[in-house]
Amino acid sequence: MTEPLYGTPHPHGPLLGPLSPPLLRSTTAGQPDAEALRAFGAGERSGEFYQRLGHGNGRAFESLVAELEGADGAVAFASGMAAMSAALAAHLRAGDRVLLAEEIYGGTSAFALHDLVRFGVTVDRFSALDLGGLRAALQQPARLVVFESPINPTLRVVDVRAVVALARAAGARTVFDGTFAPPPIQRALDLGVDLVVHSATKFFGGHSDVLAGVVAGRHELLGPIEAYRRRSGAVLAPDPAWLLLRSWPTLALRVQAQQAAALAIAQELHHDLRAGSLQQISYPWLVDHPDHALARAQMQGGGCVVSLTLPGGLPGARAVFDRLQRIARAPSHGGVESLATLPAFTTHAALSPAQRQRAGIADGLLRVSVGLEGVEVLLADLRAALRR
Ligand code: PLP
């Protein structure tokens, strides 16, 4: 077997040489002879050759992700969407059917509904919260089942093992968007999914300065994805790869601290529910969360996002949002800076108010991604904004 052309887990030895890896920007690399050129060209060798076919900084990042996820390997991309679109495109052909969760990142829906369908793929929707509906949908053959958990922005939790079992029994593979809860919060491959995709723009980068994505899983599924990457060209560049390596040693610390702060904020604000400044708090680690037991069974914590439903619908949420002083009014999540968004204006703006309501997304929903500013600072900001 030829060596994998992407990063694989490797045992950690003693730290030798420069502790910070060199950044290699060279797009091409001199080779000793024609045989080396032949081997690279034939895809038999990985190493420094031509940057789109892989490079040291990218492979180092991939190795870390593979290790973290307990995967055979990982393939890194220029963005989370490049990773997700490659995972889908590499495993689908005209005539195939995909089951796409209604509760999935909007960019993934847009790619499936605008692009996959143009190439003859049928895209059918299902709710990942309705296992009976999924079972019925799987009566017709499907190649892939695509879903996420926890669900953005309601923070409902999907029974990942159950979705995997249904898909597997029907001969379908599962592609899981793990962005919202990466390890150490949740290890999706351990829950049985075939491929886990991350927007590395979020927690893996962690400092709101890198756009990147990555897919991890088994070799048999990664080979076609790497081959698609070299053909389509959306490879992760060395500079963002280097920043991801820089962020890596603090990943677990950041995630744990942000998660602890998110839990503390959710618990504290829970006391305010009775006062009426808030209608609802969704956070999977609160005991009154509808999927709390399930969250406990498949996650190591409730994650770093808290969703608040404010009185007064969209105007009410908008007013609170505009009064925030410390929490940035910005899309994205997973970074050390706390960010707030209004899904009705952003990720779910394309849905009608009735569709949003059916999906459980109140117009007054404010999503807060909790960073590292400290619980006191963030609570004071939220409470001042809620008080009017
Ligand atoms: N998946 C989820 C859950 C996301 O939140 C995002 C981005 O917001 C993506 C995928 C896409 O990632 P990127 O913006 O890095 O392309």
Side-chain angles (χ1 to χ4, degrees), residues 78-82 84 105 107-108 148 152 177-180 197-202 210-213 332-333 347 367:
S79 70
M81 275 319 302
M84 178 56 90
Y105 178 63
T108 302
E148 70 177 20
N152 175 39
D177 187 332
T179 304
F180 244 70
V197 180
H198 290 279
S199 166
T201 312
K202 309 299 184 309
V210 181
L211 192 75
S332 200
H333 63 96
T347 43
R367 190 190 81 179

Side-chain angles (χ1 to χ4, degrees), residues 62-95:
E62 291 167 349
S63 293
L64 294 169
V65 174
E67 179 92 36
L68 183 77
E69 287 285 10
D72 286 352
V75 185
F77 288 85
S79 70
M81 275 319 302
M84 178 56 90
S85 56
L88 302 181
H91 286 288
L92 291 168
R93 61 187 67 229

Side-chain angles (χ1 to χ4, degrees), residues 26 35 80 83 89 111 139 191-192 204 210 213 290 314 331 353 380:
S26 185
E35 171 52 23
F111 173 71
Q139 299 293 316
L191 298 173
F204 290 172
V210 181
L314 192 48

